[in-house]
């Protein structure tokens, strides 16, 4: 068929001058038939069919986010099989997939992207600070959670999984929306969202939000353990704009800032005197970003995108140390500049190809953590390609390869391959293999932090290898449209070599270091089942069964030898403690259930129920199994032209339980929210 | 194909040379624009009807380069491509005029402004039944079709509902009178329909609105049916439309049936020739099994057989 385009540009202004007539709106109508329109369905923007995808994907849409009753992003991920998180207190929230955590990491093994921009930062040990989420939940279009490694598409931090957040297109935000929430535990949230057209060919959206709460209540634990306090306030400004230069060229601009103020440090629970070497104090952290993206549609089968991102993270929790003077532990400034080019095209009817390259320059400054070094730079270059091949109606093959050069971590090649067998259009079996690397954070290599004038607290380990992953998976995807039901099952076997743990002292009085002490075998299965039995009723069940076995690496064995004098070996229970941290970092079983029900008058009721078995987040803490129920009831209303919603949300309806450590009790939290749209 | 000045001159010469018969019906063609869809129409018309016996086709120019008023004055019939050309012709000449390449709403406003003129049109708008036939041919399972009606298309509601009552799908429609109403109305319609039909109305299908419609329909995973190839390129699943060549064939068919002067203008109507376009990538992303264009075209034609 002839795909010729007609170019029919409006010259009506000149014509009307010629005719001496006033422009009539109806005379613009012919343009509708022959003029070009902005290409929305470009090949990279259209989603891949789930049955063709190389791995398991959980997609969380706007309605599910709202129904989950979540106030922060980490809570939403409780719905995804295999993911764990906890209610933050003075301990910032973390999100892990299949466990693998250490005492103070920032979830570095799961990549988090917002519109292509990674939220990982050199300041946060190469991970993501979950208190600095740069997007309001209301501005999320959908979250695509890739369960399983995908470093060939998303870089080394996509070691175990990827959380890919797509924000609402500015063209879909109009008017002004105000909302406020008020609840117990100091919950006070306010937000303003607005969006409008920018000239003839552009749109923008802008969100300002403040969320604050008093965290968890220290009085809920024994007086002995009341050496902490918590309070939290987060402010966000998020602006996104797009300009349609012509039907084939689109520019996107995003910028914003998120800042968080929280309490940190310790005090004596009896005298209430602050601990001199870690006094109770206010700390501030923030993240600024700017992103420019150009999307060029080459043809209906190909497009090209170019993205530049600048981000800067800061943390200041400084205090006057009795012997070291002014210090700023964990504080500093991390900047990241990234340029990425991505070419997506369909070489033939049966193939789809994405390839690209990126360059990244990271700089970390921290007078306290990089004492005497001041600044560390890191350059990373990456090329990658992913291809999909559908030679037969019943088979889809995926192949990916990436090559990365890292000025600190060296060179790494990561391949992946998968084959999906479509037994019927509704039933697919998939087998996949991936090899991946996780390069340690900049500080893991270079830290130089003092504990006292004569002793170091933490020094970098220049010999750290990258963690290596080898993963096999067997998946099944059933999509029964007639039954309005889908089932995704994933059985996995993952081997991680050189799993790294912080806070290991190689000699008795030496500093903490990060050491590759364990080789892990992670195996288990996950499933998610969705069913819409009636128009007004939706059910989603997620379940994960995970077993982790840890064995000592050569480095681990050497450190475990009492002759080494390391803290790892100082007594046999220490070795076991680290072993437990590896093996119990994911609960053996976790289940989630979400029930969404539309009631008469448009009232929306949702109940989320979670069952989580024992888990260990740090060396010296344990968490018992717990159940948690969150529920939300929302009443959408119209008052003349204005629309809005009145909602009531309860988290942890079943009351006190523990999610991170026994000294932090999570109690029932509830709040009322009112939203009015103008 | 590009329309350069030498080409246009050759074309004009070709028109001028087609002037033998003494009592031939003299048809003067005037274009709103010299290039693009209008030039394609002129070329296609010349190819289909240029050599017909009893017919003398002359090119009276275009509004951009100038119009030969003398040719218009003595023509038996003026063929005006585009609403601006029709407007210019009706202001200056009282000749029978057939307007083409314009929207139904434009034809109405012309007739309102020139109530005494001998005027008719073959408009670009497809008949409601054809839109629904496309939906049935592409997506037989769609039981409810969402439609947003703007000021220019509000009158179509009854026609769509009547056509839907015969063979389906049922209609879920909502009126939009300002740009601010678009998004809320769109969400309401998409919530309760299986697919969306975009109609040619500046308020609901201009570039900004089309973008919002396509993005929102992806959010609800509903396919969009539309009225132009550009809409399909942009991301609609399928469209039925008439390109300039289709309109030229339509005009040629009618002209050949005219026995002589003076011409009897047909009632204003939709085009009889049309084409369809389908976006395979969108079909794949929405996981829809869609027949090829030839099959869809044949199914629509079969439904239009009396």
């Amino acid at each position: 068929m002839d795909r010729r385009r007609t170019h029919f540009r409006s010259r009506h202004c000149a014509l009307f001058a010629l005719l001496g007539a006033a422009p009539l709106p109806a005379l613009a109508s012919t343009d509708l038939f022959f003029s070009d329109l902005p290409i929305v369905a470009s090949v990279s923007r259209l989603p891949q069919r789930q049955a063709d995808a190389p791995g398991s994907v959980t997609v969380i849409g706007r309605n599910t986010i709202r129904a989950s009753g979540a106030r922060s992003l980490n809570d939403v991920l409780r719905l995804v099989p295999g993911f764990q998180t906890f209610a933050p207190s003075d301990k910032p929230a973390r999100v892990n997939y299949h466990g693998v955590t250490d005492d103070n990491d920032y979830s570095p093994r799961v990549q988090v992207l917002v519109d292509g921009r990674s939220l990982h930062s050199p300041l946060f040990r190469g991970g993501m600070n979950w208190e600095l989420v740069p997007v309001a939940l209301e501005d999320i279009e959908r979250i695509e959670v890739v369960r399983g490694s995908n470093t060939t598409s998303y870089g080394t931090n996509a070691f175990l999984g990827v959380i890919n957040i797509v924000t609402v297109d500015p063209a879909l935000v109009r008017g002004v929306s105000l909302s406020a929430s008020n609840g117990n535990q100091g919950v006070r949230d306010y937000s303003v969202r607005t969006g409008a057209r920018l000239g003839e060919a552009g749109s923008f959206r802008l969100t300002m939000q403040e969320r604050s709460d008093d965290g968890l209540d220290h009085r809920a634990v024994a007086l002995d353990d009341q050496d902490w306090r918590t309070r939290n306030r987060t402010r966000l400004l998020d602006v996104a704009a797009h300009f349609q230069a012509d039907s084939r060229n689109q520019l996107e601009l995003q910028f914003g800032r998120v800042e968080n103020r929280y309490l940190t440090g310790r005090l004596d629970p009896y005298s209430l005197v602050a601990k001199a070497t870690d006094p109770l104090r206010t700390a501030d952290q923030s993240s600024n970003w700017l992103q420019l993206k150009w999307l060029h549609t080459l043809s209906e089968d190909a497009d090209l995108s170019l993205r530049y991102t600048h981000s800067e993270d800061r943390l200041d929790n400084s205090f006057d140390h009795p012997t070291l003077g002014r210090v700023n532990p964990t504080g500093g400034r991390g900047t990241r500049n990234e340029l990425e080019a991505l070419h997506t095209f369909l070489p033939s009817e049966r193939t789809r190809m994405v390839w690209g390259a990126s360059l990244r320059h990271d700089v970390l400054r921290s007078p306290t953590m990089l004492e005497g070094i001041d600044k560390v730079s890191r350059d990373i270059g990456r090329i990658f390609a992913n291809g999909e091949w559908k030679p037969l109606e019943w088979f889809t093959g995926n192949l990916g390869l990436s090559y990365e050069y890292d000025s600190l971590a060296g060179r790494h090649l990561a391949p992946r391959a998968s084959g999906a067998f479509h037994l019927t259009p509704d039933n697919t079996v998939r087998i996949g293999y991936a090899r991946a690397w996780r390069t340690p954070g900049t500080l893991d290599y270079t830290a130089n932090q003092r504990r006292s004038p004569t002793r170091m607290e933490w020094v970098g380990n220049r010999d750290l290898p990258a963690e290596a992953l080898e993963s096999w998976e067997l998946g099944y995807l059933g999509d029964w449209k007639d039954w309005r039901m889908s089932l995704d099952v994933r059985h996995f076997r993952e081997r991680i070599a050189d799993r790294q743990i912080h806070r290991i002292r190689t000699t008795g009085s030496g500093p903490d270091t990060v050491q590759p002490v364990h080789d892990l075998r992670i195996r288990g299965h996950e499933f998610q089942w969705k069913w819409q039995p009636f128009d007004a009723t939706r059910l989603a069940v997620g379940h994960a069964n995970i077993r982790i076995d840890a064995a000592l690496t050569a480095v681990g064995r050497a450190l475990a030898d009492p002759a080494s004098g390391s803290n790892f070996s100082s007594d046999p229970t220490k070795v076991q403690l680290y072993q437990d941290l590896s093996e119990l970092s994911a609960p053996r079983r976790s289940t989630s259930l979400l029930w969404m029900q539309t009631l008469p008058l448009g009232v929306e009721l949702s109940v989320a129920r979670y069952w989580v078995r024992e888990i260990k987040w740090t060396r010296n803490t344990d968490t018992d199994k717990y159940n948690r129920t969150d529920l939300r009831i929302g009443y959408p209303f119209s008052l003349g032209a204005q629309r809005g919603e009145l909602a009531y949300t309860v988290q942890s309806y079943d009351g006190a339980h523990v999610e991170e450590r026994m000294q932090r009790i999570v109690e029932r939290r509830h709040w009322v929210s009112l939203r009015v749209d103008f | 194909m590009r329309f350069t000045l030498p080409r246009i001159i050759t074309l004009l010469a070709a028109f001028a040379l087609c002037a033998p018969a003494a009592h031939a019906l003299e048809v003067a063609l005037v274009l709103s624009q010299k290039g693009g869809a209008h030039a394609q129409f002129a070329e296609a018309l010349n190819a289909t009807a240029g050599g017909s016996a009893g017919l003398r086709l002359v090119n009276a120019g275009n509004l951009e380069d100038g119009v030969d008023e003398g040719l218009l004055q003595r023509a038996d019939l003026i063929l005006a491509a585009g609403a601006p050309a029709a407007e210019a012709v009706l202001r200056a000449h009282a000749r029978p005029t057939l307007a083409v390449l314009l929207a139904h709403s434009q034809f109405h406003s012309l007739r309102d402004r020139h109530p005494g003129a001998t005027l008719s049109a073959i408009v670009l708008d497809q008949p409601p039944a054809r839109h629904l036939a496309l939906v049935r041919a592409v997506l037989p399972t769609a039981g409810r079709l969402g439609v947003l009606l703007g000021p220019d298309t509000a009158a179509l509601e009854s026609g769509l509902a009547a056509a839907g009552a015969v063979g389906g799908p049922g209609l879920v429609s909502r009126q939009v009178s300002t740009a601010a109403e678009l998004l809320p109305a769109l969400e309401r319609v998409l919530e309760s329909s299986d697919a969306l039909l975009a109609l040619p109305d500046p308020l609901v299908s201009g570039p900004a609105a089309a973008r919002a419609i396509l993005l929102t329909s992806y959010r609800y995973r509903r396919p969009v049916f539309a009225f132009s190839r550009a809409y399909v390129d942009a991301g609609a699943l399928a469209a039925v439309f008439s390109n300039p060549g289709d309109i030229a064939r339509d005009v040629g068919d009618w002209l050949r049936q005219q026995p002589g002067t003076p011409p009897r203008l047909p009632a204003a109507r939709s085009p009889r020739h049309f084409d369809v376009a389908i976006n395979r990538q969108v079909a794949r992303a929405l996981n829809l099994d869609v027949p090829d264009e030839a099959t869809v075209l044949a199914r629509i034609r079969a439904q239009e057989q009396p």
Side-chain angles (χ1 to χ4, degrees), chain A residues 3 5 8-9 11 18 24 26-27 29-30 32 35 38 40-41 49 141 169 172 242 244 250 346 643, chain B residues 33 38 40 63-64 83 101 106 113 152 188 211 215-216 218-219 227 229-230 233-235 281 287:
Chain A
R3 304 292 293 173
R5 248 165 223 285
F8 184 65
R9 299 277 173 238
R11 292 202 181 87
L18 201 84
L24 292 157
L27 289 183
S29 301
T30 322
L32 294 173
S35 62
V40 180
R49 215 165 58 108
E141 179 70 44
D169 191 288
L172 301 185
H242 77 77
Q244 193 76 43
Q250 186 186 311
L346 311 174
R643 300 207 297 170
Chain B
Q33 297 175 4
H38 291 202
Q40 285 174 22
L63 297 190
E64 290 176 65
L101 301 190
Q106 291 175 308
R113 285 199 303 282
D152 280 10
R188 296 257 175 106
R211 186 185 160 80
L215 288 168
T216 313
Y218 296 156
R219 179 186 280 178
F227 55 84
R229 184 184 291 284
D233 288 342
Q281 305 309 330
N287 208 4

Side-chain angles (χ1 to χ4, degrees), chain B:
Chain B
M1 176 170 291
R2 296 184 61 80
F3 287 84
T4 55
L5 196 58
R7 268 211 128 92
I8 305 264
I9 291 168
T10 317
L11 215 63
L12 287 172
F15 281 129
L17 288 170
C18 301
H23 301 290
L25 178 73
E26 183 160 319
V27 180
L29 175 64
V30 57
L31 310 177
S32 298
Q33 297 175 4
K34 63 179 170 184
H38 291 202
Q40 285 174 22
F41 171 76
E43 190 190 30
L45 183 67
N46 188 44
T48 183
S52 304
L55 190 66
R56 186 164 175 265
L57 201 56
V58 296
N59 194 327
N62 61 69
L63 297 190
E64 290 176 65
D65 291 341
V67 174
D68 185 335
E69 300 291 344
L71 283 178
L72 294 181
Q73 196 54 50
R74 64 165 194 267
D76 299 313
L77 170 73
I78 298 175
L79 206 51
E87 175 72 34
V89 165
L90 294 172
R91 277 170 181 268
H93 306 280
R95 310 299 302 156
T97 304
L98 182 71
V100 293
L101 301 190
L102 79 174
H104 189 257
S105 56
Q106 291 175 308
F107 170 69
H108 266 281
S109 71
L110 282 172
R111 200 159 60 184
D112 289 349
R113 285 199 303 282
H114 305 279
T118 311
L119 171 69
S120 189
I122 297 176
V123 297
L124 288 164
D125 306 60
Q126 303 296 317
R130 192 174 291 158
H131 282 296
L132 298 196
L134 172 74
V135 176
R136 284 196 296 270
V138 172
L139 203 67
T141 52
R144 292 162 303 177
L145 180 68
V147 186
L148 289 182
L149 300 154
D152 280 10
T153 44
L156 283 175
E157 187 174 18
S158 56
L160 284 165
V166 180
L171 215 60
V172 180
S173 63
R174 199 162 268 270
Q175 296 277 351
V176 178
S177 50
T178 65
E181 292 171 22
L182 177 72
L183 285 176
L186 189 57
E187 286 179 2
R188 296 257 175 106
V189 162
L190 285 168
E191 274 163 14
S192 49
S193 49
D194 303 314
L196 184 82
L197 172 63
L199 293 171
D201 191 300
L203 195 59
V204 298
S205 288
R211 186 185 160 80
I213 284 175
L214 290 170
L215 288 168
T216 313
S217 70
Y218 296 156
R219 179 186 280 178
Y220 285 85
R221 298 191 66 78
R222 305 277 192 263
V224 174
F225 291 89
F227 55 84
S228 72
R229 184 184 291 284
Y231 222 127
V232 172
D233 288 342
L237 175 66
V240 58
F241 52 89
S242 297
N243 55 43
D246 292 321
I247 304 289
R249 281 171 63 201
D250 219 331
V251 171
D253 290 351
W254 173 74
L255 283 175
R256 275 191 294 274
Q257 287 164 10
Q258 295 311 300
T261 55
R264 284 201 308 275
L265 286 179
R269 62 166 171 85
S270 294
R272 298 211 167 111
H273 296 283
F274 56 91
D275 200 355
V276 297
I278 290 168
N279 190 322
R280 296 276 145 208
Q281 305 309 330
V282 171
R284 190 155 87 157
L286 293 174
N287 208 4
L288 296 172
D289 194 13
V290 172
D292 63 23
E293 276 128 342
T295 308
V296 170
L297 209 49
R299 284 185 191 170
I300 299 174
R301 285 188 181 133
Q303 292 183 37
E304 292 195 0
Q305 296 302 319

Side-chain angles (χ1 to χ4, degrees), chain A residues 133-152:
Chain A
V133 175
V135 59
L137 290 179
E138 297 84 348
D139 286 323
I140 297 177
E141 179 70 44
R142 65 180 186 280
I143 307 173
E144 297 165 350
V145 183
V146 179
R147 290 182 284 120
S149 183
N150 197 348
T151 62
T152 62

Side-chain angles (χ1 to χ4, degrees), chain A residues 217-230:
Chain A
D217 192 346
H218 61 277
R219 293 165 303 186
V221 297
L223 186 60
D224 245 6
D225 293 325
Q226 293 182 17
D227 60 347
W228 54 280
R229 297 289 185 272
T230 165

Side-chain angles (χ1 to χ4, degrees), chain A residues 460-477:
Chain A
N461 178 359
R462 285 281 185 182
D463 300 326
L464 270 182
E467 289 180 340
L469 170 82
E470 199 166 35
S471 145
W472 280 99
E473 67 165 26
L474 183 66
Y476 166 77
L477 184 70

Side-chain angles (χ1 to χ4, degrees), chain A residues 186 194 227 292 312 580 665:
Chain A
T194 185
D227 60 347
L292 283 166
E312 181 183 271
D580 289 349
I665 308 286

